[in-house]
Amino acid sequence: MMNALDLSNGQPYLLDASIVAARAAMLENSHMPKPDNDPPTYAALLALKPDDLALGRWASEAKLARNYFNDLRGHGNPGEETLRKLLAVIGKTMADYDREKARIAGTVLSEVESIPGSARSVFHGERLPDLEVRGTAMGGEFGDLDSDIELTELHMDEVIDRVARPIALANDPRAYALRIIGDSMAPRFKPGERVSVNPKATVSIGDDVIVQLRGDDGNDGERIKMVLIKELVRFTSTFVELRQHNPSTVFRVERKRVAHIHVVRANYF
């Protein structure tokens, strides 16, 4: 069998290892078009990628197929868990990704809301307003003193910080963030972790939720609210069933005690 030919003189030659490596690297990154031609999801990831990180190695370190980015370029719709794996490899967060995607797409939330409660419109050329982080504190235990079901105080009037607003919350003017207190939902939520709350999202079984409780007199208008941050297991006309992870327990809350149930999203910040 003949070796590769040097076409300049018709003589065979052996490929140098450095040439092979260089060509392999070129092929691995050759599918990278200009960001303006990419789907926003794909372009945002490429914009965050370190210059010295090859796409194939990035995918491999995230436990994905080496050609993952070829598929992503065509479909442009990775799952949230996949995004988190890719971002973890390069030390970035979902907030970093959302900011970059917003910059590339050029979409942000309008500050104009003409009808109370209506969805805000998304326009081009402005920056998404930050998400307010509301104050939280230990709220004791729910039910009996030895129940080990952790309550949280939510201070709606106290803004302790502001963080970048995820794209998913662009059209929810009531969205906010909070800091997890205690370890009752570990390892799902860790103490000190900041999560976002999406009041507009449809609540489904299996969601992580924040359940705002009515006061003892049935009033839910207080600015300091007692809340349960748990997993939604069941929802009926008479009770809400929730799961706490640490210690593991499933318990019920009478519907008459529930003021609101909102979806909680983790690891945005």
Side-chain angles (χ1 to χ4, degrees):
M1 180 179 292
M2 185 180 294
N3 288 322
L5 289 178
D6 180 348
L7 298 182
S8 63
N9 56 22
Q11 297 300 314
Y13 73 98
L14 296 177
L15 289 176
D16 184 88
S18 62
I19 297 175
V20 173
R23 290 186 177 180
M26 190 188 330
L27 289 173
E28 186 171 53
N29 292 289
S30 63
H31 65 285
M32 294 174 54
K34 294 181 180 180
D36 290 345
N37 298 326
D38 292 336
T41 294
Y42 179 80
L45 287 171
L46 260 61
L48 293 171
K49 183 184 77 67
D51 292 339
D52 60 348
L53 178 62
L55 292 180
R57 182 162 64 88
W58 187 6
S60 293
E61 291 184 11
K63 309 302 182 185
L64 302 171
R66 287 186 66 86
N67 65 347
Y68 174 77
F69 282 94
N70 286 322
D71 295 334
L72 181 61
R73 180 189 177 192
H75 302 291
N77 189 30
E80 184 174 313
E81 185 62 27
T82 298
L83 278 176
R84 293 191 193 285
K85 290 179 180 179
L86 289 167
L87 293 171
V89 171
I90 60 174
K92 299 294 184 179
T93 66
M94 287 295 290
D96 296 323
Y97 164 78
D98 283 329
R99 277 193 295 268
E100 196 59 40
K101 188 174 179 182
R103 182 189 67 78
I104 290 170
T107 58
V108 297
L109 184 64
S110 168
E111 292 297 324
V112 178
E113 185 177 10
S114 58
I115 303 175
S118 65
R120 296 185 179 187
S121 301
V122 175
F123 291 90
H124 293 272
E126 303 172 18
R127 180 179 178 273
L128 280 171
D130 287 338
L131 210 58
E132 294 178 342
V133 181
R134 305 292 170 82
T136 48
M138 291 296 294
E141 294 183 348
F142 176 78
D144 299 333
L145 292 178
D146 59 350
S147 67
D148 289 328
I149 299 171
E150 197 171 80
L151 272 169
T152 300
E153 285 186 8
L154 175 61
H155 297 243
M156 294 301 291
D157 280 344
E158 182 182 354
V159 178
I160 63 173
D161 198 1
R162 287 177 170 79
V163 294
R165 178 181 295 261
I167 291 293
L169 300 179
N171 288 318
D172 190 348
R174 295 186 298 148
Y176 60 94
L178 57 84
R179 186 168 63 89
I180 294 294
I181 300 294
D183 61 357
S184 69
M185 288 299 285
R188 180 70 180 106
F189 300 138
K190 299 179 179 62
E193 180 178 354
R194 291 189 290 190
V195 299
S196 64
V197 179
N198 186 354
K200 283 184 64 177
T202 301
V203 178
S204 301
I205 301 301
D207 282 344
D208 298 311
V209 296
I210 179 170
V211 178
Q212 294 183 7
L213 302 174
R214 298 185 190 277
D216 293 335
D217 58 358
N219 183 15
D220 64 339
E222 297 93 345
R223 300 308 294 169
I224 297 179
K225 300 180 182 296
M226 302 305 293
V227 303
L228 294 158
I229 302 174
K230 312 297 178 187
E231 178 187 338
L232 181 61
V233 175
R234 189 178 176 193
F235 188 91
T236 75
S237 60
T238 57
F239 65 85
V240 175
E241 194 167 82
L242 304 169
R243 175 178 287 111
Q244 176 177 280
H245 295 328
N246 182 36
S248 179
T249 183
V250 175
F251 63 98
R252 293 179 177 180
V253 182
E254 294 181 46
R255 279 287 303 275
K256 65 183 180 182
R257 290 208 58 190
V258 175
H260 305 286
I261 303 178
H262 297 149
V263 174
V264 174
R265 304 293 188 197
N267 302 324
Y268 275 118
F269 316 110

